[in-house]
Amino acid sequence: MPDNETSKKLNIYIDTADNFRNIAEYVFRFFCDCLQFTPAFIQDFSVENIHIYYGEKPHPNATINICHNPTVAVFYQQAVAYEHTDITYAFYEGTRLPFLFSPAEKPVISAGAITKDIVASAFYFLSCWSEYAAADEAYEGYRFDYRKSLQYKGGFAETPVVDFYSLILHDCLGLKGINSDFKKASPEVSHDIDYFDFWTKKQLLDTYIYNLKRLFKSPISAGYKLFGHFFTKQFFHHPKKDLVSLYKKEQALNVQSISFLMVREDNDSKQGYMENDDTLAALHSIYAGKHIGLHGSRAAAFDENALQMEYKRLKAKGFHTASYRNHYLCFDYQKTFAILEKAGFKTDSTLGYWEHIGFRAGTGRPFQPYNIAEDRPFQITEKPLIIMDATLMMPNAMNMGYKEAKRRVFELIKNTQKTKSAVNILWHNNRFDRIDYPWLGKLFWEILNIYVKKDI
């Protein structure tokens, strides 16, 4: 047991194949960050107080033993996916958790030892190994197919499984009298500014024509849209005032958000908004002193030159940042992080599923992604995206109405309270439109009220 002077240090002995050691240390650093310990990786047992032993067979001199499946060293040398039929499940704190490379017959904690290989399991999710294994067939040119993930196949996308592994270690340490301070992660509220003003004259005209054509077939819906858009856009809509009002409401709740701005010139004319001098001046006025990031184009996720061009253009427009999110959530974990790292970005907030809310990397906490080719962490912090507005309501995503969306979102939030995970959310500024998306804005403010109550 640690004494007072070493109470924030954990001595960890890793007894694995050499080619798995860096991975194991990486995962333990993540666990220790959650538990607010400093890991000390020990090479031999001459050191007193080996707090954690991670190996194939339990060691009698260790305070805690964690099961290690030696086959993982071979598994992680190959670009193959873990079969979802090989997952074993066990309930912990009332939540059904998946375990990889682990026996099914034993409880999670037995006789003061962790019987599941939570280290090898955690790495699979933190590295998004499913994506690495399926990279040639699952990206469809720009975005990973959620249906290729282990989370989809196992039905646990809305569970922060790696954060639960950290909780298991926390509880096991507590059983041995080693009290850890389980750190609460800070959530991030963000807005992607795909459009400064979505409602151009052309857009309004197209909307009127579309609803006039469907007026006889759907008189109530089309009539509502015709009247609603005319009334709100003529008398209340103003892009700058709308954004300022949004940020003032957040500020009143003591919530500070980050907004991701687009700069690519060859986007849709409504999206290439920084080329308009009046709009650029408005943006400088709105975002003075606020957190902003670069909202990279689809090309920027896969092309170093495209990313560098957009990054330089953002700076040339007078905006400076080291934060990033890709448009459409286009992202190839290994390729895009390498590009971002080389460009000098410090944080990214792209890693979420477009089709489903939940935990693409198994965690809601900020973490360093892993460079598989170089067997090291990337020098960038990922703030994973957990809930996006479009995901909730788009027909080719979850396609939910207000009641079902609220139920699912609040269930997810409740599940993270056990692990003190963050629930990072993204709401596009044009999705606050009261006519086209009447309930999305309402749900956003209901989520923020939970933030204010410190329940998330």
Side-chain angles (χ1 to χ4, degrees), residues 211-410:
N211 282 291
L212 281 170
K213 288 180 178 179
R214 56 191 290 266
L215 189 60
F216 290 103
K217 188 175 182 180
S218 304
I220 296 177
S221 173
Y224 171 76
K225 290 292 183 77
L226 282 167
F227 175 78
H229 281 306
F230 176 80
F231 185 73
T232 58
K233 304 311 178 288
Q234 291 294 323
F235 299 104
F236 296 103
H237 173 68
H238 188 282
K240 180 179 177 180
K241 289 180 180 178
D242 290 346
L243 281 170
V244 170
S245 175
L246 168 63
Y247 298 131
K248 281 185 177 179
K249 288 180 181 179
E250 290 178 347
Q251 188 175 13
L253 292 172
N254 200 28
V255 172
Q256 191 173 44
S257 62
I258 179 171
S259 295
F260 293 90
L261 307 180
M262 301 184 75
V263 295
R264 193 171 171 91
E265 287 179 333
D266 58 353
N267 281 323
D268 179 286
S269 60
K270 292 178 291 183
Q271 294 179 320
Y273 46 77
M274 283 203 183
E275 301 312 306
N276 181 292
D277 290 340
D278 291 338
T279 299
L280 184 60
L283 290 170
H284 277 291
S285 173
I286 294 167
Y287 291 108
K290 291 185 172 61
H291 294 306
I292 64 104
L294 173 62
H295 196 36
S297 68
R298 179 183 298 186
F302 312 103
D303 186 330
E304 179 183 340
N305 292 329
L307 176 66
Q308 291 284 8
M309 178 188 68
E310 293 176 34
Y311 198 18
K312 290 176 182 177
R313 185 172 290 150
L314 184 70
K315 293 176 181 178
K317 297 295 183 182
F319 297 97
H320 298 273
T321 184
S323 300
Y324 187 84
R325 175 182 285 139
N326 217 90
H327 193 35
Y328 297 120
L329 303 188
C330 300
F331 212 82
D332 179 327
Y333 186 112
Q334 294 300 315
K335 183 181 293 184
T336 310
F337 277 128
I339 293 172
L340 291 173
E341 182 184 64
K342 188 173 182 179
F345 284 94
K346 301 302 180 185
T347 64
D348 173 77
S349 301
T350 309
L351 211 58
Y353 293 121
W354 189 92
E355 305 95 328
H356 206 282
I357 61 175
F359 302 88
R360 181 169 169 179
T363 180
R365 295 173 176 273
F367 73 99
Q368 282 187 282
Y370 202 80
N371 186 324
I372 293 171
E374 298 182 16
D375 197 22
R376 64 168 179 86
F378 285 105
Q379 296 306 302
I380 187 169
T381 297
E382 175 61 29
K383 297 180 177 180
L385 174 62
I386 311 303
I387 298 172
M388 180 172 69
D389 51 7
T391 302
L392 298 172
M393 47 77 66
M394 294 297 286
N396 50 347
M398 296 184 77
N399 194 26
M400 295 186 291
Y402 167 70
K403 289 184 178 180
E404 178 63 11
K406 181 177 179 179
R407 183 187 70 80
R408 293 286 289 273
V409 166
F410 278 53

Side-chain angles (χ1 to χ4, degrees), residues 49-72:
N49 291 335
I50 300 299
H51 304 125
I52 297 175
Y53 175 82
Y54 176 57
E56 182 179 1
K57 296 180 180 179
H59 199 289
N61 295 336
T63 306
I64 292 175
N65 286 280
I66 300 177
C67 169
H68 168 63
N69 184 335
T71 65
V72 301

